[in-house]
PDB file of all heavy atoms in Angstrom:
ATOM      1  N   LYS A 488       8.574   5.262  44.121  1.00  0.00           N
ATOM      2  CA  LYS A 488       7.365   6.007  43.802  1.00  0.00           C
ATOM      3  C   LYS A 488       7.610   7.492  44.009  1.00  0.00           C
ATOM      4  O   LYS A 488       8.175   7.883  45.030  1.00  0.00           O
ATOM      5  CB  LYS A 488       6.203   5.558  44.689  1.00  0.00           C
ATOM      6  CG  LYS A 488       4.946   6.384  44.413  1.00  0.00           C
ATOM      7  CD  LYS A 488       3.726   5.831  45.101  1.00  0.00           C
ATOM      8  CE  LYS A 488       3.742   6.096  46.592  1.00  0.00           C
ATOM      9  NZ  LYS A 488       2.380   6.029  47.175  1.00  0.00           N
ATOM     10  N   MET A 489       7.196   8.286  43.040  1.00  0.00           N
ATOM     11  CA  MET A 489       7.284   9.735  43.199  1.00  0.00           C
ATOM     12  C   MET A 489       5.874  10.299  43.322  1.00  0.00           C
ATOM     13  O   MET A 489       4.994   9.979  42.535  1.00  0.00           O
ATOM     14  CB  MET A 489       7.982  10.346  41.989  1.00  0.00           C
ATOM     15  CG  MET A 489       7.996  11.854  42.004  1.00  0.00           C
ATOM     16  SD  MET A 489       9.644  12.558  42.078  1.00  0.00           S
ATOM     17  CE  MET A 489      10.451  11.779  40.741  1.00  0.00           C
ATOM     18  N   ASP A 490       5.681  11.115  44.354  1.00  0.00           N
ATOM     19  CA  ASP A 490       4.385  11.773  44.539  1.00  0.00           C
ATOM     20  C   ASP A 490       4.481  13.220  44.099  1.00  0.00           C
ATOM     21  O   ASP A 490       5.545  13.838  44.195  1.00  0.00           O
ATOM     22  CB  ASP A 490       3.967  11.721  46.011  1.00  0.00           C
ATOM     23  CG  ASP A 490       3.607  10.318  46.453  1.00  0.00           C
ATOM     24  OD1 ASP A 490       2.944   9.604  45.665  1.00  0.00           O
ATOM     25  OD2 ASP A 490       3.996   9.924  47.576  1.00  0.00           O
ATOM     26  N   ILE A 491       3.357  13.739  43.637  1.00  0.00           N
ATOM     27  CA  ILE A 491       3.289  15.146  43.258  1.00  0.00           C
ATOM     28  C   ILE A 491       2.284  15.831  44.184  1.00  0.00           C
ATOM     29  O   ILE A 491       1.185  15.312  44.395  1.00  0.00           O
ATOM     30  CB  ILE A 491       2.838  15.300  41.793  1.00  0.00           C
ATOM     31  CG1 ILE A 491       3.786  14.556  40.845  1.00  0.00           C
ATOM     32  CG2 ILE A 491       2.722  16.776  41.420  1.00  0.00           C
ATOM     33  CD1 ILE A 491       5.193  15.105  40.787  1.00  0.00           C
ATOM     34  N   LEU A 492       2.696  16.969  44.746  1.00  0.00           N
ATOM     35  CA  LEU A 492       1.813  17.710  45.650  1.00  0.00           C
ATOM     36  C   LEU A 492       1.427  19.043  45.024  1.00  0.00           C
ATOM     37  O   LEU A 492       2.280  19.755  44.488  1.00  0.00           O
ATOM     38  CB  LEU A 492       2.512  17.989  46.981  1.00  0.00           C
ATOM     39  CG  LEU A 492       2.793  16.798  47.912  1.00  0.00           C
ATOM     40  CD1 LEU A 492       4.008  16.005  47.449  1.00  0.00           C
ATOM     41  CD2 LEU A 492       3.010  17.291  49.333  1.00  0.00           C
ATOM     42  N   LEU A 493       0.140  19.331  45.065  1.00  0.00           N
ATOM     43  CA  LEU A 493      -0.348  20.636  44.633  1.00  0.00           C
ATOM     44  C   LEU A 493      -0.894  21.339  45.862  1.00  0.00           C
ATOM     45  O   LEU A 493      -1.765  20.789  46.546  1.00  0.00           O
ATOM     46  CB  LEU A 493      -1.479  20.497  43.608  1.00  0.00           C
ATOM     47  CG  LEU A 493      -1.111  20.044  42.191  1.00  0.00           C
ATOM     48  CD1 LEU A 493      -2.362  20.023  41.324  1.00  0.00           C
ATOM     49  CD2 LEU A 493      -0.052  20.944  41.589  1.00  0.00           C
ATOM     50  N   ASN A 494      -0.391  22.520  46.110  1.00  0.00           N
ATOM     51  CA  ASN A 494      -0.870  23.266  47.262  1.00  0.00           C
ATOM     52  C   ASN A 494      -0.761  22.439  48.542  1.00  0.00           C
ATOM     53  O   ASN A 494      -1.633  22.487  49.406  1.00  0.00           O
ATOM     54  CB  ASN A 494      -2.341  23.663  47.023  1.00  0.00           C
ATOM     55  CG  ASN A 494      -2.661  24.988  47.692  1.00  0.00           C
ATOM     56  OD1 ASN A 494      -1.753  25.734  48.059  1.00  0.00           O
ATOM     57  ND2 ASN A 494      -3.947  25.257  47.867  1.00  0.00           N
ATOM     58  N   GLY A 495       0.283  21.618  48.616  1.00  0.00           N
ATOM     59  CA  GLY A 495       0.510  20.831  49.827  1.00  0.00           C
ATOM     60  C   GLY A 495      -0.202  19.492  49.878  1.00  0.00           C
ATOM     61  O   GLY A 495       0.069  18.681  50.749  1.00  0.00           O
ATOM     62  N   ASP A 496      -1.122  19.235  48.932  1.00  0.00           N
ATOM     63  CA  ASP A 496      -1.847  17.953  48.937  1.00  0.00           C
ATOM     64  C   ASP A 496      -1.260  16.991  47.910  1.00  0.00           C
ATOM     65  O   ASP A 496      -1.048  17.364  46.756  1.00  0.00           O
ATOM     66  CB  ASP A 496      -3.323  18.170  48.577  1.00  0.00           C
ATOM     67  CG  ASP A 496      -4.013  19.049  49.598  1.00  0.00           C
ATOM     68  OD1 ASP A 496      -3.665  18.942  50.790  1.00  0.00           O
ATOM     69  OD2 ASP A 496      -4.884  19.847  49.184  1.00  0.00           O
ATOM     70  N   THR A 497      -1.062  15.745  48.309  1.00  0.00           N
ATOM     71  CA  THR A 497      -0.614  14.721  47.368  1.00  0.00           C
ATOM     72  C   THR A 497      -1.753  14.413  46.401  1.00  0.00           C
ATOM     73  O   THR A 497      -2.877  14.143  46.828  1.00  0.00           O
ATOM     74  CB  THR A 497      -0.231  13.434  48.118  1.00  0.00           C
ATOM     75  OG1 THR A 497       0.795  13.763  49.045  1.00  0.00           O
ATOM     76  CG2 THR A 497       0.267  12.371  47.166  1.00  0.00           C
ATOM     77  N   ILE A 498      -1.459  14.459  45.107  1.00  0.00           N
ATOM     78  CA  ILE A 498      -2.485  14.170  44.101  1.00  0.00           C
ATOM     79  C   ILE A 498      -2.271  12.743  43.619  1.00  0.00           C
ATOM     80  O   ILE A 498      -1.359  12.478  42.828  1.00  0.00           O
ATOM     81  CB  ILE A 498      -2.373  15.157  42.915  1.00  0.00           C
ATOM     82  CG1 ILE A 498      -2.346  16.600  43.411  1.00  0.00           C
ATOM     83  CG2 ILE A 498      -3.498  14.929  41.916  1.00  0.00           C
ATOM     84  CD1 ILE A 498      -3.557  16.990  44.241  1.00  0.00           C
ATOM     85  N   ASP A 499      -3.113  11.814  44.096  1.00  0.00           N
ATOM     86  CA  ASP A 499      -2.843  10.396  43.820  1.00  0.00           C
ATOM     87  C   ASP A 499      -2.726  10.097  42.335  1.00  0.00           C
ATOM     88  O   ASP A 499      -1.902   9.297  41.907  1.00  0.00           O
ATOM     89  CB  ASP A 499      -3.882   9.497  44.503  1.00  0.00           C
ATOM     90  CG  ASP A 499      -5.324   9.831  44.126  1.00  0.00           C
ATOM     91  OD1 ASP A 499      -5.537  10.771  43.335  1.00  0.00           O
ATOM     92  OD2 ASP A 499      -6.233   9.148  44.639  1.00  0.00           O
ATOM     93  N   ALA A 500      -3.547  10.774  41.523  1.00  0.00           N
ATOM     94  CA  ALA A 500      -3.563  10.471  40.094  1.00  0.00           C
ATOM     95  C   ALA A 500      -2.292  10.935  39.378  1.00  0.00           C
ATOM     96  O   ALA A 500      -2.085  10.624  38.216  1.00  0.00           O
ATOM     97  CB  ALA A 500      -4.790  11.090  39.435  1.00  0.00           C
ATOM     98  N   LEU A 501      -1.453  11.675  40.068  1.00  0.00           N
ATOM     99  CA  LEU A 501      -0.204  12.138  39.448  1.00  0.00           C
ATOM    100  C   LEU A 501       1.025  11.351  39.911  1.00  0.00           C
ATOM    101  O   LEU A 501       2.124  11.571  39.424  1.00  0.00           O
ATOM    102  CB  LEU A 501       0.013  13.627  39.742  1.00  0.00           C
ATOM    103  CG  LEU A 501      -0.842  14.631  38.969  1.00  0.00           C
ATOM    104  CD1 LEU A 501      -0.633  16.038  39.499  1.00  0.00           C
ATOM    105  CD2 LEU A 501      -0.528  14.579  37.480  1.00  0.00           C
ATOM    106  N   SER A 502       0.825  10.425  40.841  1.00  0.00           N
ATOM    107  CA  SER A 502       1.975   9.640  41.305  1.00  0.00           C
ATOM    108  C   SER A 502       2.492   8.770  40.172  1.00  0.00           C
ATOM    109  O   SER A 502       1.729   8.327  39.319  1.00  0.00           O
ATOM    110  CB  SER A 502       1.548   8.719  42.450  1.00  0.00           C
ATOM    111  OG  SER A 502       1.151   9.479  43.557  1.00  0.00           O
ATOM    112  N   PHE A 503       3.783   8.526  40.151  1.00  0.00           N
ATOM    113  CA  PHE A 503       4.326   7.617  39.149  1.00  0.00           C
ATOM    114  C   PHE A 503       5.556   6.921  39.704  1.00  0.00           C
ATOM    115  O   PHE A 503       6.057   7.264  40.780  1.00  0.00           O
ATOM    116  CB  PHE A 503       4.641   8.351  37.850  1.00  0.00           C
ATOM    117  CG  PHE A 503       5.668   9.440  37.991  1.00  0.00           C
ATOM    118  CD1 PHE A 503       6.981   9.215  37.626  1.00  0.00           C
ATOM    119  CD2 PHE A 503       5.306  10.684  38.485  1.00  0.00           C
ATOM    120  CE1 PHE A 503       7.930  10.213  37.754  1.00  0.00           C
ATOM    121  CE2 PHE A 503       6.252  11.689  38.626  1.00  0.00           C
ATOM    122  CZ  PHE A 503       7.570  11.456  38.258  1.00  0.00           C
ATOM    123  N   ILE A 504       6.011   5.932  38.948  1.00  0.00           N
ATOM    124  CA  ILE A 504       7.132   5.125  39.413  1.00  0.00           C
ATOM    125  C   ILE A 504       8.324   5.426  38.526  1.00  0.00           C
ATOM    126  O   ILE A 504       8.189   5.518  37.314  1.00  0.00           O
ATOM    127  CB  ILE A 504       6.727   3.646  39.393  1.00  0.00           C
ATOM    128  CG1 ILE A 504       5.643   3.485  40.459  1.00  0.00           C
ATOM    129  CG2 ILE A 504       7.929   2.734  39.640  1.00  0.00           C
ATOM    130  CD1 ILE A 504       5.063   2.165  40.626  1.00  0.00           C
ATOM    131  N   VAL A 505       9.469   5.605  39.135  1.00  0.00           N
ATOM    132  CA  VAL A 505      10.624   6.061  38.375  1.00  0.00           C
ATOM    133  C   VAL A 505      11.886   5.374  38.894  1.00  0.00           C
ATOM    134  O   VAL A 505      11.949   4.965  40.060  1.00  0.00           O
ATOM    135  CB  VAL A 505      10.735   7.611  38.492  1.00  0.00           C
ATOM    136  CG1 VAL A 505      10.920   8.044  39.941  1.00  0.00           C
ATOM    137  CG2 VAL A 505      11.857   8.175  37.631  1.00  0.00           C
ATOM    138  N   HIS A 506      12.865   5.230  38.010  1.00  0.00           N
ATOM    139  CA  HIS A 506      14.146   4.676  38.428  1.00  0.00           C
ATOM    140  C   HIS A 506      14.850   5.701  39.306  1.00  0.00           C
ATOM    141  O   HIS A 506      14.844   6.888  39.010  1.00  0.00           O
ATOM    142  CB  HIS A 506      15.007   4.363  37.211  1.00  0.00           C
ATOM    143  CG  HIS A 506      16.173   3.494  37.538  1.00  0.00           C
ATOM    144  ND1 HIS A 506      17.343   3.994  38.045  1.00  0.00           N
ATOM    145  CD2 HIS A 506      16.330   2.147  37.465  1.00  0.00           C
ATOM    146  CE1 HIS A 506      18.190   2.994  38.261  1.00  0.00           C
ATOM    147  NE2 HIS A 506      17.600   1.860  37.912  1.00  0.00           N
TER     148      HIS A 506
END
Side-chain angles (χ1 to χ4, degrees):
K488 177 171 74 159
M489 174 117 53
D490 290 319
I491 302 295
L492 291 78
L493 287 182
N494 212 16
D496 298 325
T497 302
I498 309 302
D499 56 0
L501 285 173
S502 295
F503 61 100
I504 293 179
V505 61
H506 194 277

